[in-house]
Amino acid sequence: MRKLTVHRKKYFAGAWSAVHIYAAFGPVSFPSINKDVHQLLGKVKNGKALECEIPECEVTIMAAYDNLGACVMTDYVTIPSGSEDVVLNGKTKLNPMMGNPFYFEK
């Protein structure tokens, strides 16, 4: 097992809602998340970080807002297999038409 850390930069867009971080160990279906297949790792509030453990195989990390039962992915990043710890940074972008989506910095 290795440690995954997701940092969310503090920004006024989307400051009131937490971003849900999911992990997928198989093929990714974009843009919706199947909660039976994808594992919820945790929630990241504005300016905070999430730390959790992930397996050493290839993992796809997805960010989504879970509002009113609709869980739509805003961005994802694929982490290759390995044993080193992983740090991901991201922030929300001001776009009210899309619900102020969260994006990982690549």
Side-chain angles (χ1 to χ4, degrees), residues 14-75:
W16 57 91
S17 58
V19 175
H20 296 223
I21 305 297
Y22 288 88
F25 306 104
V28 177
S29 60
F30 191 81
S32 63
I33 292 178
N34 183 349
K35 294 180 184 178
D36 296 329
V37 176
H38 302 123
Q39 179 183 359
L40 176 65
L41 298 177
K43 301 175 185 178
V44 183
K45 293 186 178 182
N46 197 19
K48 303 295 183 187
L50 168 71
E51 291 185 358
C52 56
E53 290 189 354
I54 58 172
E56 295 180 357
C57 63
E58 183 176 291
V59 179
T60 301
I61 304 298
M62 300 167 287
Y65 288 109
D66 192 1
N67 298 329
L68 303 172
C71 194
V72 178
M73 181 184 349
T74 59
D75 196 16

